Amino acid sequence: MLVTLAFIAGVAASLNPALAQQRRGRQSAPGQAAQSTARALSEEIMLRIVRAEDERRWDGSLSPLLSDRSARVRRRAALAAGRIGDERAVPSLVTLLQTDRDAGVRAMAAFALGEVEAASGADALMAALNRAAESGEVRARVIEAIGKIAAALPKTDEARTKALGEAVVFALDAEAARGVRGNRRIILEGLTAALRAAPSNAAPTLAKFLSHKDARIRADAANALARLRTGEANEQVRPHLTNDTEAIVRANAARVLGVSEDKAALDALVERAVGDTDERVRVSSIRALYLLKDVRGAAPLLGRVTTLFAAYTAARAGGGGGIAHPREAGELLELATTLSRLLANTGDQRAVGWLKEFRLAESMSAPEIEIAFARIAPAAYLREDPFNKISDEATRARLRSNWRVVSSVAQGLGEIGGITAATAGSGVVRLQADAQIILRGLLDDAAIPSVAVPDVLRALAAFKSTDVAEVLRKQLGAKDAIVRATAAELLGELGPDEANARALIAALRATTGDELNDAALSILDALGKQKSAAANEAIKTALDSTDHLLRRRAVALLKANDAGDFSSRIGLVATRNTLPDYRRALARREGRWRATVATDKGSFVIELLPEDAPLTVDNFVQLARRGYFNNLSFHRVVPNFVIQGGDPRGDGNGGPGYQIRCEINEVEYERGAVGMALSGKDTGGSQWFVTHSPQPHLDGGYTVFGRVVAGLDVVDAIERGDLIRSITVTEGPPPASKPASKARRRQHR
């Protein structure tokens, strides 16, 4: 499949205003489209749609809605087809894209084809991008869908992937040629499509948008270059690191220069890392210096540490009522990580002295500090608390009472497993032996909290000892599902092995009745890597599971192993929702729902979006009203990315004991977007996140169910470990003019 000259001609034709005004044969007369959308979606129709989405069911009850006389109904049914993801809906979606008289319906058909990710929809999308008379709204959705399909294609379909990527580049080139008349939405969707499709010739085209007057376009162009990990445009990128007036552009420029290991940018990155006024830029520059691996960056970073740590210490003291997790903590952890690479195995006394103070202040609960200390001075690290008193009962009792400490020090010890004699001298053998003794002692202590065991197992696996498989096989029988999941994952990484395969098959049988399906999913993945007939037969047993996710995973693994196509066995989701649940969720669309999140740093307000994600909002409201989130921590904070909370375990693996389906929608991941955290499609539950900055690569992949409308300064101040004190949900009357949440909001970044 090749990008044809006809396609290129079509792009050129779209630049001609006369051609762009040509009407379709079935185009509605003025006012006709408005009349067709007048009929509101009835409760009966919405119940039919939402229930089918929840069950992942595409059948005769939904397909007729794609030809309903109401454009609003057709549009909503098309979204349902995309969410359900059944390839049988592709022909109907293609028909809508090609012939529907309503541009909004055609746009949604394109969006849905992107969500289904089926190669069978690619040709129709390419043709739509080639239509000169097509609206900008539709073309934007088409190019978005092309990017999604290109990213989902198997590696064996290289020709089609290349063609789709080239189509994205051609479309972007056409918009660049239009200059100030270029369509903003097409450009932004095209930039994200480029990072997904990853065409080999994209860099020169992306670089054209680095000089655009629109800061968001400049930021997204740099973001795409960073995710493509290309340095081809670095000459154009470097000036934006130091001179761009928009912080997010400077931050993304730093990312580009880091991933491409641009040595010429060292001085500029150091300057931004220690002196930029915006934390997002400093953090991105610090990370870039980690990737450059140039030791000349260490001294200025240590100077920044001195200033920042003084502020951190003062905030913690605070006249007796100090802050447990000062704002400076996140940036200091980033500095620790970068210094750990620049000063690895040097024993640098200045860095070691600071890390000792920092780990004491953080009570040894920050893995970044432990890892940095172990990398910089491994011998000195093993002489520190708790390792120097590991046999004392008081020390053991302290470890048993705080799983975060065990998890953090285990990660530090695991770093020693990667040290070689070439970098640390002949004493490395003794260091590694001592580290393993400590880790095995932790693993053998039945009183150590099980939530810390996964990190102990990962640390032990890093040493690649001859008996590691035996240790992991034993943990397949652990009570904690996440421990079993970790053991299976690590066994899978060891490659095909008959003894491991037998243990995994037995463990899969034992997962029946688990509240969490994490272990079963990981075991299936590990069995998939065994590449044996016996393993494939075991995977087939999951086709009879009542868990939709297990059936879907089994089908994917068997197909990948050429063991047969069992797609017909995926079936429907056995949803926990009932008719009253659907009615309650849909009723929320009539009001204005807000959630006030009280935290250690103050409160922020989320405007919930029940129109865009009714079941996700309902789940969040139900959990909040029963106090589920009270006193849970923000267990994950990644500066210039997200804050994440809602996990009762606190390690990122917990949830309410059930999964909810994704409700992918058109709301973008701008700054302050609230989304559901996932470990795969349809694995949402109680974990949610808020974005610090625009994250276009998340669009169409994670459910957006709210946006922060007040208190973004509080979101920015939250550090890992800060608590959600409570969440209060309130309902008010809908605004006089309800904002079109499905519109692409590109104005404020």
Side-chain angles (χ1 to χ4, degrees):
M1 181 177 172
L2 298 174
V3 176
T4 64
L5 291 175
F7 169 77
I8 302 171
V11 172
S14 71
L15 307 183
N16 186 322
L19 289 176
Q21 292 174 3
Q22 292 177 354
R23 306 297 291 176
R24 293 167 161 270
R26 291 187 57 187
Q27 185 72 30
S28 60
Q32 188 173 337
Q35 291 172 5
S36 70
T37 62
R39 183 161 68 102
L41 293 179
S42 68
E43 182 183 51
E44 182 271 328
I45 289 177
M46 282 306 302
L47 282 172
R48 193 194 315 178
I49 289 174
V50 171
R51 184 167 185 170
E53 289 176 344
D54 198 27
E55 295 176 348
R56 292 292 176 261
R57 170 175 47 80
W58 182 256
D59 58 17
S61 69
L62 282 190
S63 54
L65 297 180
L66 292 176
S67 56
D68 191 272
R69 66 182 180 86
S70 165
R72 188 175 178 186
V73 172
R74 298 197 302 277
R75 179 181 170 90
R76 187 60 184 82
L79 175 60
R83 286 177 171 177
I84 293 167
D86 192 320
E87 194 170 349
R88 291 176 298 173
V90 167
S92 297
L93 290 171
V94 166
T95 298
L96 284 184
L97 176 62
Q98 292 172 336
T99 65
D100 200 278
R101 65 190 65 181
D102 187 277
V105 175
R106 297 197 302 277
M108 184 58 80
F111 181 81
L113 287 168
E115 285 301 305
V116 177
E117 296 181 342
S120 55
D123 289 343
L125 289 165
M126 295 277 276
L129 195 60
N130 196 23
R131 283 199 291 270
E134 192 56 270
S135 72
E137 175 190 12
V138 176
R139 288 169 63 82
R141 285 290 176 230
V142 165
I143 199 170
E144 176 187 39
I146 287 173
K148 290 178 181 177
I149 291 175
L153 287 173
K155 292 181 179 179
T156 53
D157 203 349
E158 185 177 348
R160 188 187 296 269
T161 302
K162 181 180 179 181
L164 294 176
E166 289 178 350
V168 172
V169 172
F170 277 125
L172 282 171
D173 275 330
E175 294 302 323
R178 298 180 66 185
V180 296
R181 295 181 298 117
N183 186 297
R184 187 174 191 267
R185 288 186 57 193
I186 293 176
I187 293 170
L188 289 168
E189 295 296 355
L191 292 171
T192 302
L195 70 86
R196 287 172 170 151
S200 59
N201 60 337
T205 296
L206 298 178
K208 296 176 183 179
F209 296 98
L210 291 171
S211 58
H212 201 282
K213 67 177 183 178
D214 188 321
R216 177 59 196 271
I217 289 177
R218 298 198 302 277
D220 278 19
N223 177 60
L225 287 166
R227 291 190 172 275
L228 291 175
R229 307 183 74 84
T230 176
E232 294 179 62
N234 282 8
E235 288 291 337
Q236 297 99 310
V237 170
R238 289 189 203 109
H240 291 281
L241 174 64
T242 54
N243 300 329
D244 204 288
T245 57
E246 184 66 31
I248 194 61
V249 180
R250 299 198 301 276
N252 285 352
R255 292 172 51 216
V256 176
L257 299 171
V259 297
S260 60
E261 298 183 29
D262 188 347
K263 303 294 186 183
L266 175 68
D267 292 339
L269 286 167
V270 168
E271 180 187 357
R272 293 299 98 198
V274 303
D276 200 280
T277 56
D278 193 289
E279 181 187 21
R280 295 172 296 178
V281 183
R282 295 195 302 272
V283 165
S284 292
S285 299
I286 292 166
R287 293 172 183 161
L289 290 170
Y290 175 94
L291 296 169
L292 259 62
K293 304 185 289 286
D294 193 318
V295 71
R296 290 176 295 171
L301 292 184
L302 283 169
R304 174 63 179 163
V305 162
T306 300
T307 302
L308 201 61
F309 193 63
Y312 165 89
T313 303
R316 284 191 65 93
I323 301 172
H325 305 285
R327 174 73 180 268
E328 297 80 8
E331 191 172 341
L332 284 167
L333 293 174
E334 296 285 348
L335 285 162
T337 298
T338 292
L339 286 168
S340 76
R341 187 166 197 177
L342 302 185
L343 299 173
N345 298 304
T346 64
D348 186 279
Q349 290 303 301
R350 188 178 176 189
V352 168
W354 164 60
L355 288 170
K356 286 183 179 180
E357 291 186 65
F358 196 14
R359 79 190 293 256
L360 182 63
E362 290 289 320
S363 303
M364 294 187 293
S365 63
E368 296 91 340
I369 302 173
E370 304 301 314
I371 290 170
F373 196 166
R375 283 180 177 176
I376 294 172
Y381 181 63
L382 287 178
R383 291 195 296 268
E384 289 294 314
D385 182 34
F387 314 122
N388 58 354
K389 302 176 183 176
I390 197 68
S391 60
D392 292 354
E393 186 54 35
T395 299
R396 306 289 290 191
R398 181 157 53 94
L399 293 173
R400 291 166 184 153
S401 68
N402 193 332
W403 71 265
R404 288 182 173 83
V405 173
V406 178
S407 173
S408 294
V409 300
Q411 292 179 61
L413 292 168
E415 286 301 310
I416 296 174
I419 298 174
T420 64
T423 58
S426 59
V428 67
V429 176
R430 181 69 251 175
L431 290 177
Q432 291 180 337
D434 290 344
Q436 287 190 77
I437 289 170
I438 296 170
L439 287 167
R440 290 173 186 272
L442 292 172
L443 191 60
D444 291 340
D445 188 339
I448 291 293
S450 63
V451 70
V453 171
D455 283 319
V456 177
L457 290 176
R458 291 188 184 94
L460 268 175
F463 290 87
K464 298 181 172 61
S465 59
T466 56
D467 67 339
V468 67
E470 182 181 347
V471 172
L472 294 173
R473 290 196 295 267
K474 182 179 179 181
Q475 293 300 320
L476 288 175
K479 292 182 180 179
D480 190 304
I482 304 303
V483 173
R484 283 182 276 132
T486 303
E489 175 189 338
L490 293 169
L491 282 169
E493 292 174 1
L494 296 178
D497 177 271
E498 188 175 342
N500 291 346
R502 288 196 301 269
L504 288 164
I505 291 170
L508 181 63
R509 297 192 196 104
T511 59
T512 305
D514 271 7
E515 183 182 75
L516 299 176
N517 60 12
D518 300 73
L521 289 168
S522 292
I523 292 168
L524 285 175
D525 285 341
L527 283 170
K529 295 176 180 179
Q530 299 305 309
K531 306 295 183 183
S532 69
N536 287 336
E537 288 303 310
I539 293 171
K540 288 179 183 178
T541 65
L543 296 172
D544 297 320
S545 171
T546 58
D547 189 318
H548 176 259
L549 294 175
L550 294 183
R551 299 196 302 273
R552 192 161 67 197
R553 184 69 59 85
V555 167
L557 290 168
L558 291 168
K559 185 179 293 186
N561 284 349
D562 292 324
D565 187 349
F566 296 88
S567 299
S568 62
R569 300 284 296 276
I570 292 177
L572 305 182
V573 175
T575 176
R576 58 190 292 274
N577 289 313
T578 63
L579 185 60
D581 295 321
Y582 297 129
R583 292 190 187 280
R584 182 183 63 245
L586 292 172
R588 297 192 198 284
R589 299 181 303 150
E590 302 304 318
R592 188 174 192 177
W593 293 82
R594 293 194 167 189
T596 300
V597 184
T599 78
D600 288 343
K601 297 289 175 58
S603 297
F604 61 89
V605 180
I606 301 170
E607 180 180 344
L608 300 172
L609 304 175
E611 180 71 35
D612 298 284
L615 297 182
T616 307
V617 168
D618 185 63
N619 177 69
F620 180 83
V621 170
Q622 294 295 325
L623 292 173
R625 285 185 164 170
R626 74 177 203 231
Y628 181 94
F629 299 112
N630 295 1
N631 297 313
L632 296 186
S633 69
F634 288 100
H635 63 275
R636 183 182 185 221
V637 176
V638 183
N640 197 26
F641 185 41
V642 298
I643 63 171
Q644 186 169 322
D647 175 17
R649 284 175 63 98
D651 65 347
N653 292 305
Y658 58 82
Q659 288 93 25
I660 63 172
R661 253 53 66 206
C662 295
E663 291 181 293
I664 303 302
N665 52 59
E666 296 180 280
V667 184
E668 292 178 323
Y669 276 100
E670 298 183 323
R671 172 165 160 77
V674 182
M676 283 302 299
L678 304 173
S679 57
K681 187 176 181 180
D682 293 337
T683 58
S686 61
Q687 292 191 47
W688 52 278
F689 60 88
V690 183
T691 53
H692 283 139
S693 57
Q695 304 295 331
H697 66 287
L698 300 181
D699 291 350
Y702 295 76
T703 303
V704 183
F705 68 95
R707 63 173 67 87
V708 174
V709 293
L712 269 171
D713 57 328
V714 175
V715 172
D716 291 339
I718 287 171
E719 295 291 342
R720 188 175 65 208
D722 283 333
L723 297 181
I724 302 169
R725 294 299 181 181
S726 65
I727 298 181
T728 304
V729 178
T730 57
E731 180 187 12
S737 174
K738 205 168 187 178
S741 57
K742 292 186 190 304
R744 303 299 280 178
R745 290 178 169 79
R746 295 285 190 180
Q747 289 71 32
H748 177 63
R749 297 294 169 183

